Amino acid sequence: DVKVTQSSRYLVKRTGEKVFLECVQDMDHENMFWYRQDPGLGLRLIYFSYDVKMKEKGDIPEGYSVSREKKERFSLILESASTNQTSMYLCASRDLPTYEQYFGPGTRLTVT
Amino acid sequence: KQEVTQIPAALSVPEGENLVLNCSFTDSAIYNLQWFRQDPGKGLTSLLLIQSSQREQTSGRLNASLDKSSGRSTLYIAASQPGDSATYLCAVPDSGGYQKVTFGIGTKLQVIP
């Protein structure tokens, strides 16, 4: 069974703090994704990593950066957290060649 | 740019009813289509993946069909149960580039005992 884990289920941070969200997958997948999900807006892609060497901006990268030092780990960084980054953050990995996506349990981040 | 629409946005049915959820997409040059289930406050669970060369996929009481030419997929749930209550999302990889994925906003299903 593919397993995607995220470092925290719930997180509360203060405005201006640097926040790290970590995601680990155990199936040797090349592709990994970070999404945020907000009511009425659905899932929006923040960043995408095709492999360890390549990171691509998604639809809403502003205020975020990513790190992928190892194939199994993809980290999302909020450089200076703001209240409008309060959201559910979902990590996913993708199997090639089927292109099937697998999701982690999500991190509910609240920025106060 | 790919756009994915799911209708209806919400659905409430009595237990035991068979039901159909709809997903439509604008760019028919898709590689595959994936259906997910999401329980409140949780991540997405993969239900079915249909490759572009397939017409349908089945898993237990679930059957998903794909009609690329019309840009549509349906998820059929037989003999619905209260435990099926969740939000159902469909997702389609973009046809070009690195194949980023576009999601529908989902259909929120409530099965009433």
Side-chain angles (χ1 to χ4, degrees), chain B residues 57-75:
Chain B
Q57 276 281 7
T58 299
S59 176
R61 293 182 294 108
L62 305 179
N63 176 277
S65 67
L66 176 64
D67 183 344
K68 278 179 54 177
S69 60
S70 66
R72 291 185 189 176
S73 176
T74 61
L75 179 66

Side-chain angles (χ1 to χ4, degrees), chain A residues 9 11 17-20 22 31 33 37 42-43 46 53 56 58 64 66 74 80-81 86 89 101 104 106-108 111:
Chain A
R9 289 284 286 120
L11 209 52
E17 279 192 78
K18 191 168 186 175
V19 181
F20 294 86
E22 296 198 328
N31 299 173
F33 304 78
Q37 186 178 32
L43 272 83
I46 305 171
K53 297 177 185 174
E56 175 99 353
Y64 303 95
V66 289
F74 189 35
S80 177
T86 292
Y89 289 87
Q101 281 198 114
T107 296
R108 170 73 65 185
V111 182

Side-chain angles (χ1 to χ4, degrees), chain B residues 91-104:
Chain B
V92 180
D94 293 347
S95 57
Y98 294 107
Q99 302 215 356
K100 294 182 288 187
V101 180
T102 301
F103 287 80

Side-chain angles (χ1 to χ4, degrees), chain B residues 15-93:
Chain B
E15 181 177 2
E17 196 161 296
N18 301 325
L19 57 101
V20 173
L21 307 181
N22 297 294
C23 171
S24 60
F25 46 92
T26 54
D27 183 353
S28 62
I30 63 170
Y31 190 81
N32 64 30
L33 186 143
Q34 193 168 0
W35 281 94
F36 294 90
R37 168 190 172 131
Q38 186 177 30
D39 294 291
K42 303 282 180 66
L44 279 66
T45 300
S46 179
L47 295 174
L48 289 164
L49 175 74
I50 313 177
Q51 300 294 348
S52 61
S53 58
Q54 298 174 312
R55 296 281 296 180
E56 63 179 58
Q57 276 281 7
T58 299
S59 176
R61 293 182 294 108
L62 305 179
N63 176 277
S65 67
L66 176 64
D67 183 344
K68 278 179 54 177
S69 60
S70 66
R72 291 185 189 176
S73 176
T74 61
L75 179 66
Y76 175 83
I77 303 176
S80 58
Q81 302 170 358
D84 295 330
S85 298
T87 298
Y88 291 80
L89 297 96
C90 64
V92 180

Side-chain angles (χ1 to χ4, degrees), chain A residues 40-98:
Chain A
L41 297 177
L43 272 83
R44 292 180 291 167
L45 181 64
I46 305 171
Y47 265 96
F48 165 46
S49 172
Y50 197 77
D51 58 34
V52 173
K53 297 177 185 174
M54 195 287 282
K55 296 179 281 284
E56 175 99 353
K57 291 180 180 179
D59 299 320
I60 51 164
E62 296 78 20
Y64 303 95
S65 62
V66 289
S67 170
R68 192 162 180 204
E69 295 179 0
K70 292 186 178 181
K71 191 176 187 180
E72 67 270 19
R73 187 182 299 269
F74 189 35
S75 300
L76 180 70
I77 304 156
L78 285 66
E79 298 291 344
S80 177
S82 63
T83 55
N84 63 13
Q85 293 178 309
T86 292
S87 186
M88 170 70 104
Y89 289 87
L90 293 163
C91 174
S93 70
R94 184 166 69 181
D95 174 67
L96 298 175
T98 66

